[in-house]
Amino acid sequence: MGGAGLVAHEHTDPLVRPGPAEQAGDESASHLSGGAGDQGQHGWVPLVRCSQPGPRPAAPGETSRSGTGGPWITPAECRSLGRVNRAELADFLRRGRARLEPSDVGLAAGARRRTPGLRREEVAQLAGMSVDYYTRLEQRRGPRPSRQMLTALARALRLTDDERDHLFHLVGEEPPRRGTASAHVRQGLLLVLDRLYDSPAQVVTDCGTVLAQNALAKALVGDALARPPRERNLTRRFFLDPAARDLFPPEDRPAHAFDHVASLRAVAAARPDDPEPAALAAELRAASPEFARLWEAHEVSLRRPSSKRFVHPVVGLLELDCEVLLSHEGRQQLIIHTARPGTDSYERLRLLQVVGLQDMAPSSP
């Protein structure tokens, strides 16, 4: 859904239909109308235009608002006074769904499909929402999505950063700031995650919040995204939920506790203006004597490649090598676990791949 650099034409462009503000009964502001979109050799390009005399001039060297393919429109104009542009939101979601194949998101193709792209129930599954909720969004009658739901949709549809921002604008929300830690996982990182079918892998923020998992990671450590947002943080769960430690042998748990605290302290020092790591540290210092004791030691260490042991209730003990790959800005980590060929852990991991998610994954992270 790229297309930066392509410019939507003025009102005479046949690809731009009357916007929702020009149709009776729509709740968008009167100065904004939406485009239908163009499916061409450059990929899908959503078109956005103003019904005012002309768009605001682009910055020097730019011909369009990145990620929209349309004339440069300010975020304030796109937000339309905080109202939801339901027609454009529905069109954007439908087109985003149509451009993806099941293999793009780690799903089996199944029976032959009459129409290209993902089914609505598949998008709902990937985003962690009900099928009815998602269907109503595509039918222009759904409720206003929360920021959490928008982030989940952006992840499910494999949106780029610019497309994610456009999705937020259509709902009247300010997109996440690019300079802070974000729950949005880049499209390329998700594609890599989906192709790691034989290795447990997940994307985690530097503060320890799980953002995405592949199927084998869910089978090994549980489905983190099925939990409430606060319970997706590995550090919080390790110190506040006793069941979260059952995933590791008892003799390994002190080392895990040390790693969690030392990593969070390093992140908090690196981002003094970001409230997230400081707030998490303050919460855990007050709630966990163990965390408070380790915090006072002032040890600092970032996540590094290592060897970890996991206790799975079905396949037993697995000793896995842990590789940590950083995103370009360093705020997100792709954590991959592999087993060495010829070992018992390798055979057990292959068994876990067969077992999958048949109601036997542990509930702890």
Side-chain angles (χ1 to χ4, degrees):
M1 293 174 69
L6 299 178
V7 183
H9 297 165
E10 296 298 329
H11 300 282
T12 57
D13 191 330
L15 292 175
V16 181
R17 66 170 178 264
E22 300 162 339
Q23 300 172 2
D26 193 272
E27 47 188 44
S28 298
S30 61
H31 74 277
L32 179 67
S33 62
D38 177 21
Q39 178 69 46
Q41 61 178 338
H42 299 286
W44 181 76
V45 182
L47 303 179
V48 181
R49 68 179 177 88
C50 290
S51 57
Q52 292 176 337
R56 179 173 67 81
E62 295 182 356
T63 57
S64 67
R65 179 169 176 79
S66 178
T68 64
W72 193 283
I73 301 175
T74 67
E77 292 169 329
C78 284
R79 287 197 299 273
S80 186
L81 302 179
R83 297 182 180 181
V84 180
N85 191 332
R86 298 187 187 279
E88 287 304 304
L89 175 62
D91 185 68
F92 190 71
L93 294 176
R94 284 194 300 268
R95 290 177 180 270
R97 176 168 60 86
R99 62 110 185 237
L100 290 174
E101 297 298 329
S103 59
D104 294 332
V105 295
L107 297 177
R112 183 177 179 181
R113 297 170 183 245
R114 292 178 296 177
T115 57
L118 298 179
R119 298 186 176 102
R120 285 173 174 169
E121 55 265 30
E122 291 170 334
V123 176
Q125 174 189 343
L126 291 168
M129 62 181 65
S130 70
V131 178
D132 177 68
Y133 183 96
Y134 180 78
T135 299
R136 284 184 288 154
L137 290 178
E138 282 202 3
Q139 294 176 345
R140 309 185 187 185
R141 59 187 182 88
R144 178 187 182 124
S146 65
R147 295 181 65 85
Q148 176 186 343
M149 198 63 72
L150 292 173
T151 298
L153 283 170
R155 185 182 306 122
L157 295 174
R158 304 307 193 248
L159 302 185
T160 65
D161 287 349
D162 292 332
E163 292 161 352
R164 182 273 319 270
D165 291 353
H166 182 66
L167 176 65
F168 272 72
H169 286 152
L170 292 177
V171 182
E173 289 284 350
E174 184 71 26
R177 294 173 57 188
R178 300 285 179 92
T180 61
S182 171
H184 177 69
V185 184
R186 291 185 299 111
Q187 180 184 29
L189 198 55
L190 286 172
L191 291 175
V192 172
L193 184 69
D194 293 334
R195 281 156 176 74
L196 295 171
Y197 61 90
D198 59 351
S199 297
Q202 55 188 12
V203 179
V204 181
T205 69
D206 55 1
C207 283
T209 299
V210 178
L211 302 179
Q213 297 173 290
N214 65 5
L216 198 51
K218 294 176 183 179
L220 176 64
V221 301
D223 188 352
L225 299 184
R227 306 184 189 110
R230 279 179 52 82
E231 297 180 18
R232 298 172 190 173
N233 185 275
L234 300 179
T235 303
R236 177 183 285 113
R237 280 181 57 81
F238 187 88
F239 286 100
L240 300 187
D241 183 358
R245 302 188 175 211
D246 293 341
L247 188 60
F248 310 106
E251 61 271 24
D252 294 354
R253 294 169 191 171
H256 284 288
F258 173 90
D259 290 342
H260 279 302
V261 177
S263 176
L264 182 59
R265 181 176 273 285
V267 173
R271 300 212 306 270
D273 296 329
D274 188 343
E276 181 185 2
L280 179 59
E283 174 192 349
L284 294 179
R285 290 177 68 187
S288 168
E290 180 187 17
F291 181 94
R293 175 177 56 80
L294 291 170
W295 184 267
E296 291 304 319
H298 208 123
E299 298 287 350
V300 177
S301 175
L302 296 175
R303 287 188 178 93
R304 305 291 185 190
S306 61
S307 178
K308 291 184 179 181
R309 298 195 299 169
F310 296 86
V311 180
H312 192 275
V314 176
V315 302
L317 181 67
L318 298 99
E319 184 170 352
L320 305 177
D321 292 327
C322 174
E323 293 292 335
V324 181
L325 306 179
L326 297 179
S327 61
H328 70 283
E329 78 285 353
R331 304 289 176 86
Q332 295 177 359
Q333 304 162 347
L334 175 60
I335 302 177
I336 308 170
H337 294 95
T338 59
R340 299 174 186 176
T343 63
D344 290 342
S345 293
Y346 182 81
E347 296 303 323
R348 290 168 182 167
L349 189 60
R350 291 183 62 187
L351 175 60
L352 183 61
Q353 186 178 354
V354 175
V355 169
L357 298 174
Q358 297 177 4
D359 297 328
M360 50 185 62
S363 59
S364 56

